[in-house]
Amino acid sequence: DIQMTQSPSTLSASVGDRVTITCRASQSISSWLAWYQQKPGKAPKLLIYKASSLESGVPSRFSGSGSGTEFTLTISSLQPDDFATYYCQLRGTFGQGTKVEIK
Amino acid sequence: QVQLQESGPGLVKPSQTLSLTCTVSGGSISSGGYYWSWIRQHPGKGLEWIGYIYYSGSTYYNPSLKSRVTISVDTSKNQFSLKLSSVTAADTAVYYCARGTYSYGYNWFDPWGQGTLVTVSS
């Protein structure tokens, strides 16, 4: 099985900061990665699919990059609405999650 | 747009079978092209994929749950269902249904239902 390792588990940042979350696969997965945002008490929301394709309606400050074994989700300028937990996903496997907290 | 809604008991006794239904609106399961999925989240924890079903009835389950899981589809009602047998407290979780897209190795889930909390307790 392919293992997914997401880091960091928690990230403290301020409004306006550039934020990067990393997801590493134990073997090459081409661009088969998706990213989600989840707020407390809510279902996950798709942000990025195919590693770098922005889901319709998602603000352009979100971007995804990478291929092979290392992937990143970047928020170019953190907004108050972005404080949430983020997950990467490959098929039936989700990363452990990264909680973005207010610094 | 397509919307999904989970329904079912919020409390299940240990050793019994958990049963949930997901009703799809705004689109037809029978149109094909998507894999209708169940995903759960233990309290305060990450996401665990349970399995999916295609409109034809083909299924694929998480190997760790396979022996206890059955997913079925009722295209006439535009619903799909989850049954998880022999539940224990470890099955207490929020259960989500979601539409899965699978294409040439790519896979993502969108949209999701709002989720339903199922507690296993006597």
Side-chain angles (χ1 to χ4, degrees):
Chain A
D1 288 357
I2 300 174
Q3 306 301 316
M4 306 299 295
T5 304
Q6 190 175 337
S7 62
S9 56
T10 307
L11 187 160
S12 296
S14 302
V15 172
D17 284 353
R18 181 180 181 88
V19 167
T20 300
I21 298 168
T22 298
C23 191
R24 290 187 174 87
S26 57
Q27 64 189 74
S28 177
I29 60 168
S30 184
S31 300
W32 299 338
L33 196 79
W35 290 96
Y36 301 85
Q37 176 194 66
Q38 186 179 34
K39 295 182 179 179
K42 300 294 187 181
K45 172 188 172 184
L46 177 68
L47 298 175
I48 303 285
Y49 60 98
K50 294 184 181 179
S52 61
S53 296
L54 189 69
E55 171 69 354
S56 176
V58 175
S60 59
R61 63 181 179 272
F62 290 93
S63 64
S65 64
S67 66
T69 61
E70 187 156 333
F71 302 83
T72 59
L73 172 70
T74 299
I75 309 172
S76 60
S77 178
L78 197 66
Q79 298 302 300
D81 191 48
D82 302 338
F83 292 97
T85 300
Y86 295 84
Y87 293 95
C88 60
Q89 175 247 328
L90 164 70
R91 297 180 191 149
T93 302
F94 291 87
Q96 301 91 330
T98 296
K99 185 175 182 179
V100 177
E101 298 181 328
I102 300 173
K103 190 172 185 179
Chain B
Q1 77 263 20
V2 173
Q3 294 183 313
L4 292 79
Q5 176 70 57
E6 305 89 351
S7 59
L11 181 64
V12 181
K13 288 182 168 49
S15 80
Q16 294 190 343
T17 296
L18 178 160
S19 296
L20 296 174
T21 295
C22 183
T23 300
V24 179
S25 59
S28 173
I29 290 177
S30 298
S31 62
Y34 297 103
Y35 294 77
W36 303 93
S37 306
W38 288 98
I39 296 160
R40 70 180 182 179
Q41 186 170 35
H42 295 102
K45 302 296 185 183
L47 298 159
E48 180 181 30
W49 174 75
I50 299 170
Y52 68 61
I53 190 164
Y54 196 57
Y55 80 97
S56 61
S58 298
T59 54
Y60 188 73
Y61 302 137
N62 185 327
S64 68
L65 297 168
K66 185 177 180 179
S67 63
R68 300 194 292 129
V69 172
T70 302
I71 298 176
S72 58
V73 65
D74 186 337
T75 54
S76 67
K77 294 182 179 179
N78 220 29
Q79 295 175 333
F80 62 105
S81 298
L82 168 70
K83 290 189 185 298
L84 181 65
S85 64
S86 305
V87 298
T88 68
D91 295 308
T92 294
V94 174
Y95 287 76
Y96 295 100
C97 56
R99 185 181 71 175
T101 297
Y102 290 77
S103 176
Y104 301 105
Y106 297 104
N107 164 227
W108 59 89
F109 300 104
D110 179 68
W112 297 56
Q114 65 185 26
T116 187
L117 174 64
V118 178
T119 300
V120 179
S121 175
S122 55

